[in-house]
Amino acid sequence: MAQVEATTERVVAAQPDDVFDALADYSGTRAKLLTEHFSEYEVREGGDGEGSLVHWKLQATSKRIRDCLLEVTEPTDGELVEKDRNSSMVTTWRVTPAGEGKSRVVVTTVWKGAGGIGGFFEKTFAPKGLGRIYDAVLAKLATEVEK
């Protein structure tokens, strides 16, 4: 099984602390950022960054739906890590300064992919599909924090 990785980034016109706070606000802002690919969103514990437990279903394709139960940690300043209890998937959000009044947001998701020919197709196509989903989430984030 090979590791599969998808990375997307965007520069937004808002202070890093404001951007990070919006991403870490699972009980408020985060639900507004999700696209139609996410369903059954629910905060089960916490709701603000570290210590939160969040559930959603992610439908990356018409046939592929992941039931995610995510434990949230903040290992370093400006970093939010979501580890799925139901799979090997880990998503890391990093927010860093990108000039005066701007922030760079990088979201990276990694997981252990399937083996064989299925794994080849997963490693080839899944990062592009997930990248498109997170691109849309980052666009909604920009709209939210650039108000």
Side-chain angles (χ1 to χ4, degrees):
M1 289 194 292
Q3 180 165 292
V4 183
E5 180 174 319
T7 300
T8 307
E9 71 176 79
R10 183 181 183 113
V11 173
V12 297
Q15 295 294 334
D17 286 347
D18 296 336
V19 175
F20 184 83
D21 289 347
L23 286 170
D25 181 15
Y26 291 93
S27 59
T29 307
R30 183 57 86 89
K32 296 180 203 174
L33 307 179
L34 300 179
T35 65
E36 69 278 2
H37 300 92
F38 296 86
S39 63
E40 299 183 30
Y41 181 85
E42 176 187 19
V43 177
R44 296 196 176 164
E45 292 175 21
D48 185 23
E50 177 92 30
S52 295
L53 184 64
V54 186
H55 172 266
W56 62 60
K57 288 191 176 177
L58 171 60
Q59 185 164 0
T61 68
S62 60
K63 295 179 183 173
R64 182 72 173 120
I65 300 173
R66 260 186 207 264
D67 189 350
C68 303
L69 185 59
L70 305 157
E71 294 178 354
V72 179
T73 59
E74 295 180 28
T76 60
D77 280 353
E79 189 175 66
L80 205 57
V81 177
E82 301 166 345
K83 289 184 182 173
D84 186 12
R85 285 186 181 174
N86 298 331
S87 73
S88 62
M89 189 170 71
V90 177
T91 300
T92 303
W93 300 83
R94 285 188 186 85
V95 181
T96 55
E100 189 63 37
K102 293 182 180 175
S103 305
R104 172 171 281 105
V105 184
V106 179
V107 56
T108 302
T109 300
V110 296
W111 68 95
K112 289 184 180 118
I117 192 74
F120 169 78
F121 284 106
E122 181 179 22
K123 192 171 180 93
T124 303
F125 297 108
K128 292 175 183 145
L130 197 55
R132 281 191 296 275
I133 291 169
Y134 279 115
D135 217 24
V137 170
L138 291 176
K140 286 183 164 206
L141 172 67
T143 300
E144 187 67 29
V145 297
E146 291 175 356
K147 289 179 179 174

